[in-house]
Amino acid sequence: MIHQWKRALLEGASGVFERGGRKAPEVDEEQVKDLHAKIGELAVANDFLARKLKPWTGK
């Protein structure tokens, strides 16, 4: 396993120190849209629970 890590380091280490030439990461717009929807759902659930638990937490 260490041999594999060392080989990967030796093959890719020069790329860490190169300037420019870096291509922009590809963005999957559909996945971003799904993640934003999930974030919205979780925010609504957190707000709901915060309101319902307020009598017991005293805040």
Side-chain angles (χ1 to χ4, degrees):
M1 175 137 343
I2 293 174
H3 179 68
Q4 290 174 345
W5 292 346
K6 182 179 176 183
R7 187 171 20 147
L9 172 67
L10 293 175
E11 290 173 0
S14 63
V16 172
F17 299 103
E18 290 177 359
R19 294 185 185 258
R22 215 192 229 188
K23 72 175 190 177
E26 295 180 21
V27 177
D28 182 9
E29 295 296 329
E30 187 64 30
Q31 186 179 19
V32 170
K33 193 176 190 179
D34 291 343
L35 291 172
H36 282 153
K38 186 64 174 179
I39 290 169
E41 290 174 19
L42 293 173
V44 169
N46 284 341
D47 290 344
F48 173 79
L49 290 173
R51 284 195 313 267
K52 294 298 180 182
L53 293 174
K54 197 176 261 188
W56 288 285
T57 61
K59 293 182 180 179

